Amino acid sequence: SQASSVIKVPRNFRLLEELEEGQKGVGDGTVSWGLEDDEDIMLTRWTGMIIGPPRTIYENRMYSLKVECGPRYPESPPFVRFVTKINLNGVHNSNGVVDTRAVAALAKWQNSYSIRVVLQELRRLMMCKENMKLPQPPEGQVFSN
Amino acid sequence: MAENSGTDPTVDSNVVENAASDGTMIVVTVKTPKDKEEIAISEDSSVAQFKEEISKRFNAKQDQLVLIFAGKILKDGDTLNQHGIKDGLTVHLVIKTAPKATVGGTSQSSASSSGTPQANSSVNPSAAPNDSTTPGTGPTPTSTQPPNLLSGFGDLSSLSGMGMGSANFMEMQQQMQRQLMSNPEMLSQIMDNPLVQNMMSNPDLMRQMIVTNPQMQQLMERNPEISHMLNNPELMRQTMELARNPAMMQEMMRNQDRALSNLESIPGGYNALRRMYTDIQEPMFSAAREQFGNNPFSALGGNLDSGVQPSRTENREPLPNPWGPPGTTPSEIRGTGASTTTTTSAGGTAPSASNPLGINASGLGNGVFGSPGMQSLMQQISENPQLMQNMLSAPYMRSMMQSLAQNPDLASQVCTTSALSAQQQLMQQMLQMFAGGGGGSSTVTPEVRFQQQLDQLSAMGFINREANLQALIATGGDINAAIERLLGSQPS
């Protein structure tokens, strides 16, 4: 909407909208997101899922993530962290935290972006030449935090 | 236990009547990256029960299904309720397969069949010492083949003389196609067979097979690019990988569709595309024609791009009329317009009300048209021109043709014989799809058939529907002729 750059949509409105979109499967079906805990009235902690893109080493795998929308969301970008172990440029090998500087959507965050945008961007990164063939840990492993 | 004791006023009023399930039925959309289905399920069911329904609908085994909702993977022991899955919401589905390829019936390959004794490929990799040289594929070497299948076939080149042209072979092929058409699962089984995968991973083998096919040879003559392609091992390998992985192929086709639709917007681009398409499609279908006797779609091809001259072939002989007795030219078909309706009059058998194409059924006996599948296809087409129109004008069809045109190695794949069966299957499915939309059954009243024309006539001001219908029937759906009739008989 053209007004989004002028009018600041209240945080909870935005997050409720994203919650609904997540439940209705808005998008192309390759990423999914939702509240980690349904009782979370602050709508802070979210889980995301990325389906590994075909023709990459990530194919057929499902990557679980944690996304945290702080009090200044959507003015500030969310914190994103992989739960499922992954070898991807921009993701810390030790704890799965996504480096804000490595992901364009986070580095140049705009308040019109959303959790979906971030997840889709991460998925796109998996398809980049520099990532698509990185050796991966066996399926099912998670980052220990 | 949806007991509704009258003493509880707060109970939900729409308790389901079905005693077998607990709770209300909800409709949940299940979405894969390619597909979308709506599944009705009781809201109290477990994820495992949900997966049962899904496995039926998507034709996949339950343990291959992974469900995701709102960013979480649904475990079998969970319930839909505990994840908050309610009516109208969407759940994402991923169908896992063990090795790389996803299970699907859309693979196009010249694969040999697995269990059926009637195979149309006649190569036994275990006979050749190729097993050890296959580049790093997982599947183990063969030897699970029934002995009657391939034993004794040593040399590849002798096979081309042996099986390809003979009548027996054709029959085998026909049977195989029939089976394939009736059982899409078989195709996926075929693909999963290690024998097939083994074969497909050996480029030399594949190349030999493709080259020895006489239709391919013709195609290669007309389109030198195809022979270049065949001689390029890298490309072959890529192509085979593609064929092995229907998911990849679909992705590729989709990417090409997108690229092509971008191309369309460039001025002159669409014409170039159509030219390309004719170049490839024509020889392809004429190659197919020789094997199958007749190809009605060649006439369609003519219809589609009347007015665009192919860039390569100088002399476009008119394609023979597939529906008329031998000797009639299809120039009438082409001439009667760029419209893709099949109500244009064809030469030969005079079009009647129920058979506007004048399909001479007896002329279609040979080749694969003998197979019941193809015949029913033709019948459907002949009796429901609306269907054809729908089918052709559908973006699906167009994009399929365009992507075939765009990708010559895909076209060459499609050319190989058993791939044609997959193609037919595809066409049949498409027809059925549009039959649903076009309301076509084998008994269609003229009113329904000429619905579109009737609407047009009434929009023009001819309000006498009866007269319109009569005129349309008399002219076989030709609006202009119908109008003349109407004007002639009705002084207005």
Side-chain angles (χ1 to χ4, degrees):
Chain A
S1 62
Q2 65 274 43
S4 62
S5 52
V6 178
I7 300 176
K8 293 191 185 173
V9 181
R11 177 185 177 275
N12 286 0
F13 275 31
R14 257 295 292 274
L15 287 170
L16 280 175
E17 207 177 60
E18 295 196 43
L19 182 61
E20 197 179 339
E21 287 183 358
Q23 291 177 334
K24 294 208 177 131
V26 167
D28 57 4
T30 51
V31 298
S32 173
W33 63 98
L35 270 183
E36 182 175 325
D37 181 0
D38 282 330
E39 315 277 312
D40 180 7
I41 20 177
M42 292 308 295
L43 306 170
T44 308
R45 265 175 279 282
W46 297 69
T47 55
M49 187 78 60
I50 300 179
I51 301 175
R55 283 176 299 150
T56 66
I57 195 142
Y58 309 98
E59 178 173 11
N60 259 342
R61 294 218 207 177
M62 260 137 309
Y63 292 95
S64 175
L65 298 89
K66 284 206 197 304
V67 180
E68 210 169 286
C69 299
R72 288 209 304 251
Y73 183 88
E75 298 304 315
S76 307
F79 293 109
V80 186
R81 180 165 73 81
F82 272 88
V83 172
T84 315
K85 261 207 174 147
I86 186 174
N87 185 9
L88 180 69
N89 278 310
V91 178
H92 282 266
N93 260 325
S94 55
N95 53 12
V97 169
V98 173
D99 188 350
T100 317
R101 297 158 299 179
V103 180
L106 295 173
K108 304 200 179 77
W109 174 262
Q110 305 193 9
N111 61 8
S112 54
Y113 290 173
S114 62
I115 299 174
R116 169 164 63 95
V117 166
V118 176
L119 293 176
Q120 284 177 332
E121 166 101 6
L122 285 168
R123 188 172 186 268
R124 251 198 308 277
L125 281 176
M126 294 185 200
M127 300 199 272
C128 286
K129 279 212 170 13
E130 59 172 15
N131 288 318
M132 66 191 291
K133 294 199 180 140
L134 291 175
Q136 296 298 315
E139 263 190 86
Q141 287 194 357
V142 295
F143 283 110
S144 50
N145 59 333
Chain B
M1 270 28 122
E3 288 291 323
N4 193 359
S5 66
T7 56
D8 188 356
T10 61
V11 160
D12 195 359
S13 56
N14 52 345
V15 167
V16 74
E17 43 286 282
N18 185 355
S21 63
D22 306 346
T24 9
M25 294 296 285
I26 55 175
V27 173
V28 179
T29 305
V30 178
K31 203 170 170 186
T32 68
K34 309 179 194 84
D35 218 348
K36 199 162 87 154
E37 293 273 350
E38 295 193 1
I39 298 196
I41 187 95
S42 157
E43 75 178 353
D44 286 346
S45 24
S46 65
V47 170
Q49 291 171 313
F50 193 28
K51 279 191 178 178
E52 222 182 285
E53 287 302 312
I54 295 179
S55 82
K56 288 188 223 156
R57 192 73 76 86
F58 282 85
N59 256 325
K61 296 204 243 35
Q62 234 172 298
D63 51 11
Q64 290 174 303
L65 307 177
V66 179
L67 288 175
I68 298 171
F69 178 69
K72 299 196 196 106
I73 295 187
L74 308 181
K75 303 201 188 51
D76 285 8
D78 299 341
T79 67
L80 300 186
N81 228 335
Q82 87 189 62
H83 284 279
I85 298 176
K86 300 197 182 26
D87 186 43
L89 297 184
T90 299
V91 167
H92 296 292
L93 169 67
V94 177
I95 301 180
K96 295 192 84 142
T97 52
K100 290 181 230 159
T102 32
V103 175
T106 59
S107 54
Q108 298 170 347
S109 68
S110 43
S112 64
S113 81
S114 53
T116 63
Q118 309 146 338
N120 65 350
S121 138
S122 7
V123 175
N124 184 3
S126 61
N130 283 334
D131 287 353
S132 49
T133 63
T134 56
T137 45
T140 60
T142 76
S143 74
T144 54
Q145 284 309 302
N148 64 345
L149 184 61
L150 307 165
S151 57
F153 296 168
D155 191 16
L156 275 180
S157 47
S158 67
L159 291 175
S160 56
M162 151 129 209
M164 294 285 193
S166 75
N168 258 345
F169 188 60
M170 291 285 291
E171 275 183 24
M172 272 185 355
Q173 271 193 327
Q174 280 179 36
Q175 288 206 18
M176 168 122 176
Q177 282 159 10
R178 229 174 295 155
Q179 281 193 6
L180 268 182
M181 278 199 268
S182 51
N183 185 3
E185 279 225 335
M186 194 170 119
L187 196 52
S188 51
Q189 279 175 16
I190 288 177
M191 282 311 287
D192 284 345
N193 186 356
L195 167 63
V196 164
Q197 290 183 350
N198 214 2
M199 211 172 59
M200 300 212 62
S201 41
N202 187 348
D204 280 336
L205 212 64
M206 291 302 293
R207 198 172 134 266
Q208 284 256 5
M209 280 178 57
I210 293 181
V211 162
T212 49
N213 182 341
Q215 284 74 38
M216 269 310 293
Q217 284 172 350
Q218 280 191 357
L219 191 62
M220 272 174 25
E221 280 172 52
R222 301 190 202 201
N223 279 342
E225 306 157 356
I226 295 193
S227 57
H228 282 314
M229 187 273 303
L230 279 176
N231 289 330
N232 179 355
E234 186 49 45
L235 199 49
M236 279 294 289
R237 199 166 289 137
Q238 254 187 31
T239 311
M240 275 174 355
E241 269 212 23
L242 262 188
R244 222 189 327 181
N245 189 348
M248 254 165 61
M249 181 125 72
Q250 285 195 7
E251 273 251 359
M252 195 188 76
M253 283 184 69
R254 241 180 291 133
N255 286 341
Q256 286 182 336
D257 286 351
R258 261 180 261 133
L260 280 171
S261 47
N262 286 340
L263 256 185
E264 268 194 35
S265 51
I266 302 174
Y270 190 59
N271 278 340
L273 279 178
R274 281 164 114 199
R275 233 181 296 130
M276 259 187 348
Y277 156 58
T278 351
D279 279 353
I280 306 271
Q281 184 249 7
E282 231 209 274
M284 203 170 85
F285 279 129
S286 7
R289 200 187 349 126
E290 267 132 55
Q291 180 180 6
F292 297 129
N294 269 321
N295 190 348
F297 296 108
S298 60
L300 293 177
N303 273 342
L304 258 184
D305 68 357
S306 61
V308 176
Q309 285 310 308
S311 58
R312 220 162 276 123
T313 46
E314 290 200 2
N315 211 356
R316 286 184 89 200
E317 310 167 6
L319 300 169
N321 180 0
W323 293 289
T328 14
T329 68
S331 48
E332 316 170 39
I333 301 182
R334 302 254 223 94
T336 40
S339 76
T340 54
T341 64
T342 51
T343 53
T344 54
S345 52
T349 317
S352 63
S354 63
N355 191 2
L357 291 178
I359 286 190
N360 189 357
S362 61
L364 295 179
N366 44 352
V368 86
F369 281 9
S371 92
M374 203 54 186
Q375 267 191 351
S376 78
L377 216 106
M378 288 306 306
Q379 263 199 349
Q380 279 186 11
I381 295 176
S382 68
E383 283 166 1
N384 190 358
Q386 188 70 2
L387 190 60
M388 202 47 130
Q389 192 171 3
N390 281 346
M391 192 171 99
L392 283 173
S393 57
Y396 186 108
M397 185 74 172
R398 191 168 284 151
S399 64
M400 180 179 100
M401 296 212 201
Q402 282 173 357
S403 43
L404 276 178
Q406 166 74 335
N407 193 354
D409 47 345
L410 198 59
S412 76
Q413 278 234 326
V414 174
C415 267
T416 55
T417 50
S418 76
L420 270 161
S421 71
Q423 195 188 12
Q424 283 167 15
Q425 187 191 14
L426 201 63
M427 296 233 194
Q428 188 155 34
Q429 285 176 0
M430 267 170 23
L431 262 184
Q432 283 172 5
M433 193 160 68
F434 288 115
S441 61
S442 41
T443 53
V444 172
T445 68
E447 235 182 329
V448 175
R449 267 181 31 236
F450 295 137
Q451 185 55 47
Q452 203 209 25
Q453 288 90 328
L454 277 171
D455 286 346
Q456 278 180 289
L457 286 173
S458 63
M460 283 190 236
F462 295 99
I463 45 182
N464 187 346
R465 201 178 158 83
E466 270 304 292
N468 291 352
L469 194 54
Q470 293 300 324
L472 279 170
I473 293 176
T475 61
D478 184 347
I479 293 192
N480 289 329
I483 291 178
E484 284 183 20
R485 273 185 103 86
L486 290 168
L487 287 176
S489 64
Q490 287 178 9
S492 61

